[in-house]
Amino acid sequence: MKAVSFDFGEKYKKEFEKLKKEEIELRYLPFHLNKDTIDKIKEEEVVVITTASKINKELAEGLKEKGVRVLLTTSAGYEHIDVKAVKEQGILVGNIPSYSPSAISEYVLMTLLMSLRKMKTQMKNIQNKRFLLEGVRGRELGELAAGVIGGGRIGFETCKLLKAFTKKVYVHDPYPRKEMKTVAEYAGLEEIYKNCDIIILHCSLNEGNYHMIDKDSILRLKKGVLQINPSRGGLMDYKAVLEGLKDGKISGLVFDVYEGEENIIGKSFQEGELKDPIFLDLIEREDVIYTNHTAFYTDKAIRNMVKSILTDIVLFTKEGRIENPL
């Protein structure tokens, strides 16, 4: 079976080559799939993409014309794919619902503690040989209530960690899970907004929750809330969040994702080249921690992603199906 990987495979060629089976012929391309690069598909029936590749109806039709039969994304979320349009072309679509939930949960705990203890300011002070206490007094997690929006696999792992540290853990999800009730209390969004000192987004992006953290919802948050978004950039109106930071409604922000990040991730900018004033203002602030979509990025996560992609290619080759169809 011939397959081609856009963007993802080139970075992890060593892992693919180590784990792939003899029957798989996999080609690696170092760029995203779009209308300008679709012609790079040759005779491959399986195409692998990341969230940076936006698949609309036009591209779905182009994939069909190229003879593609399977489209796989290396992510759990799939809002970057018009799944209906792809399936209408007779193409199977698959994701990776769980490559390492603990990787993102551990990231949340790490950056949460860093924010509460003002580590960005402390590290900057030390680099500048300013060994002062001014401006670095922190807060203790045991005195705070945390709210997790999204109670799936990752949300569950985060709630398990937070239960050991925080005063109270709330979770909001339209589909309650029995095991979640052992580590968190289900609550409505408004209750979380009102009572939680920390709010963590662990939900996928859809039309119903686009910019769920916006000017109006920020007004309803508890004063001094810490916001953490390792999920999808579109969940937050970052302009409104910036204003919330400036007026003190929000005490800190951790974000690993940003709306329009495909124009940023994987690139290096010289002074003055990056033209997004909101993003630049955010990352310069000492009450903000930004990472470039690396919350998932561990040895285990990459290994499991590669294994899942290869498993789907073999399954399709032998049985005409994939493990996690959408």
Side-chain angles (χ1 to χ4, degrees):
M1 174 63 68
K2 292 183 178 180
V4 59
S5 176
F6 285 83
D7 191 39
F8 180 79
E10 178 68 20
K11 296 185 182 75
Y12 311 112
K13 184 174 180 178
K14 185 182 293 185
E15 284 89 346
F16 271 114
E17 291 301 318
K18 181 179 179 180
L19 296 171
K20 78 179 181 70
K21 307 297 182 181
E22 291 182 3
E23 61 263 39
I24 300 174
E25 184 179 331
L26 184 56
R27 194 161 58 93
Y28 311 95
L29 299 176
F31 39 76
H32 310 323
L33 173 59
N34 56 42
K35 61 183 179 62
D36 297 319
T37 62
I38 192 169
D39 284 338
K40 299 297 182 181
I41 299 173
K42 302 304 181 185
E43 301 175 351
E44 291 90 1
E45 293 184 280
V46 179
V47 170
V48 181
I49 61 169
T50 68
T51 57
S53 295
K54 312 301 181 185
I55 310 301
N56 55 20
K57 184 178 179 180
E58 179 185 358
L59 275 177
E61 292 171 350
L63 291 173
K64 175 68 173 180
E65 291 175 6
K66 286 287 184 179
V68 174
R69 299 173 66 192
V70 180
L71 178 67
L72 302 174
T73 180
T74 59
S75 57
Y78 47 88
E79 62 277 359
H80 56 294
I81 302 173
D82 185 336
V83 175
K84 181 181 177 182
V86 176
K87 291 172 74 173
E88 284 177 349
Q89 299 301 317
I91 299 172
L92 287 174
V93 191
N95 69 336
I96 308 175
S98 178
Y99 42 86
S100 182
S102 58
I104 297 173
S105 297
E106 289 176 10
Y107 166 91
V108 166
L109 183 60
M110 173 189 71
T111 53
L112 165 56
L113 290 169
M114 288 179 68
S115 184
L116 290 177
R117 298 305 295 268
K118 302 186 186 301
M119 288 305 296
K120 189 172 180 179
T121 300
Q122 291 203 49
M123 293 168 72
K124 183 178 178 180
N125 285 348
I126 291 169
Q127 287 176 339
N128 292 322
K129 300 179 177 60
R130 297 179 69 248
F131 307 109
L132 307 175
L133 293 179
E134 181 182 354
V136 297
R137 183 190 294 183
R139 292 188 288 169
E140 294 188 23
L141 196 47
E143 295 186 319
L144 307 176
V148 176
I149 301 175
R153 294 178 179 89
I154 299 171
F156 178 63
E157 292 298 323
T158 295
C159 288
K160 281 201 302 184
L161 291 177
L162 292 175
K163 185 177 185 243
F165 289 89
T166 58
K167 180 174 68 175
K168 183 81 174 180
V169 184
Y170 296 93
V171 62
H172 175 77
D173 195 282
Y175 306 103
R177 303 168 62 194
K178 182 178 179 180
E179 62 268 32
M180 180 64 84
K181 295 179 181 179
T182 65
V183 293
E185 178 181 319
Y186 278 98
L189 275 180
E190 294 305 319
E191 185 178 356
I192 286 176
Y193 288 168
K194 179 181 177 180
N195 297 321
C196 289
D197 306 285
I198 303 154
I199 293 180
I200 301 157
L201 303 181
H202 276 321
C203 42
S204 58
L205 179 65
N206 56 57
E207 291 182 1
N209 63 16
Y210 177 71
H211 282 187
M212 65 180 298
I213 304 299
D214 61 6
K215 183 178 180 180
D216 291 336
S217 63
I218 288 171
L219 291 174
R220 306 197 300 277
L221 300 178
K222 185 175 181 180
K223 184 173 175 58
V225 67
L226 168 62
Q227 293 269 2
I228 302 178
N229 183 11
S231 297
R232 289 293 180 266
L235 295 169
M236 283 185 163
D237 178 349
Y238 281 100
K239 181 179 180 180
V241 172
L242 178 59
E243 292 305 313
L245 287 163
K246 289 178 177 178
D247 66 24
K249 184 71 172 182
I250 300 173
S251 67
L253 169 69
V254 174
F255 69 117
D256 185 58
V257 288
Y258 186 71
E259 192 170 12
E261 67 180 16
E262 61 271 15
N263 300 315
I264 299 171
I265 302 298
K267 300 178 182 179
S268 180
F269 295 89
Q270 299 299 317
E271 186 69 29
E273 288 182 343
L274 187 51
K275 304 296 185 182
D276 188 328
I278 294 171
F279 179 74
L280 291 172
D281 282 356
L282 284 170
I283 64 175
E284 287 296 322
R285 294 182 63 92
E286 292 190 18
D287 52 5
V288 172
I289 295 173
Y290 169 69
T291 51
N292 51 296
H293 210 133
T294 58
F296 78 99
Y297 197 48
T298 65
D299 290 342
K300 178 182 177 182
I302 297 304
R303 186 168 60 249
N304 287 345
M305 281 183 182
V306 170
K307 284 181 179 179
S308 180
I309 294 296
L310 294 175
T311 295
D312 272 344
I313 296 173
V314 171
L315 268 177
F316 182 74
T317 302
K318 294 182 176 180
E319 303 177 25
R321 66 181 182 91
I322 55 177
E323 196 168 34
N324 299 294
L326 297 174

